[in-house]
């Protein structure tokens, strides 16, 4: 829909984000209600054996395999550009992507309880991006780009929200 009518991109993006949000809420809450007493580590290892848990494991594997390029390709491009500059060398880009993927795979296998490290990093980043960054970005944008000075009420509110966001980030991480 958004490819045919580019003006509909934001509408399509909003719909897809709501669908993903609802799917995560339903699956996460459903699994936590079903398996809350038996989960000691990650959910996938705590699932019993059967058709539905196996289908869930396969779907999670598909999600990981399809989203991995969205992570590896930009990371490889950033590393390549910082190390070798903007000169394009396709084989070198592929080698860097392979090394990043291999290093991540080795780290996840060799580091005990790697799922807890990822959970902590994810919680920290999501809390910071959700609660600290928006009021901080508002302060910066208002100070740099606004034609009129920022009001003291707005500044107090933004500073209070940044402080609240820092506390939320600390306590939820």
């Amino acid at each position: 829909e958004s490819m045919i009518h580019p003006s509909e991109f934001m509408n399509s993006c909003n719909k897809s984000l709501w669908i993903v949000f609802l799917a995560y809420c339903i699956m996460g809450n459903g699994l936590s209600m079903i398996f809350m007493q038996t989960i000691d580590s990650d959910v996938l290892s705590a699932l019993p054996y059967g058709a539905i848990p196996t289908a869930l494991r396969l779907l999670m594997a598909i999600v990981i395999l399809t989203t991995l390029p969205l992570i590896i390709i930009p990371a490889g491009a950033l590393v390549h550009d910082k190390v070798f500059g903007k000169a394009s060398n396709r084989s070198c880009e592929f080698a860097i992507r392979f090394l990043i993927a291999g290093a991540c795979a080795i780290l996840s296998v060799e580091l005990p309880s790697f799922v807890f490290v990822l959970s902590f990093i994810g919680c920290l980043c999501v809390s910071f991006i959700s609660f600290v960054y928006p009021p901080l970005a508002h302060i910066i944008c208002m100070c740099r780009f606004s034609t009129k000075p920022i009001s003291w009420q707005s500044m107090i509110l933004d500073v209070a929200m940044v402080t609240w966001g820092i506390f939320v980030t600390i306590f939820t991480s």
Side-chain angles (χ1 to χ4, degrees), residues 11-12 20 26 29 39 54 63 73 82 86 101 103 105 109 115 123 128-129 137-138 146 172:
N11 190 21
S12 297
V20 169
I26 291 168
N29 288 328
I39 297 177
T54 301
V63 166
I73 291 173
K82 290 295 180 187
K86 296 284 184 183
V109 169
V115 70
C123 185
F128 184 80
I129 289 171
H138 184 257
S146 180
T172 59

Side-chain angles (χ1 to χ4, degrees), residues 3 5 12-14 24 40 46 63 71-72 79 81-83 85 87 103 120-121 126 129 134 139-140 164 166:
M3 297 301 284
H5 306 287
S12 297
C13 186
N14 285 334
Y24 272 114
D40 292 327
V63 166
I71 299 166
I72 297 294
V79 171
D81 290 349
K82 290 295 180 187
V83 174
F120 172 71
I121 292 171
V126 167
I129 289 171
I139 291 171
I140 292 170
W164 172 254
I166 290 171

Side-chain angles (χ1 to χ4, degrees), residues 94 146 155:
F94 289 130
S146 180
M155 183 61 84

Side-chain angles (χ1 to χ4, degrees), residues 83-142:
V83 174
F84 299 107
K86 296 284 184 183
S88 180
N89 184 351
R90 300 287 285 173
S91 61
C92 185
E93 287 180 26
F94 289 130
I96 289 173
R97 290 178 195 162
F98 183 77
L99 287 173
I100 290 172
C104 291
I106 290 170
L107 184 66
S108 68
V109 169
E110 294 298 322
L111 187 66
S113 301
F114 188 65
V115 70
F116 296 122
V117 174
L118 289 180
S119 297
F120 172 71
I121 292 171
C123 185
L124 181 73
C125 292
V126 167
S127 297
F128 184 80
I129 289 171
S130 299
F131 296 109
V132 177
Y133 182 73
L136 193 61
H138 184 257
I139 291 171
I140 292 170
C141 289
M142 290 301 291

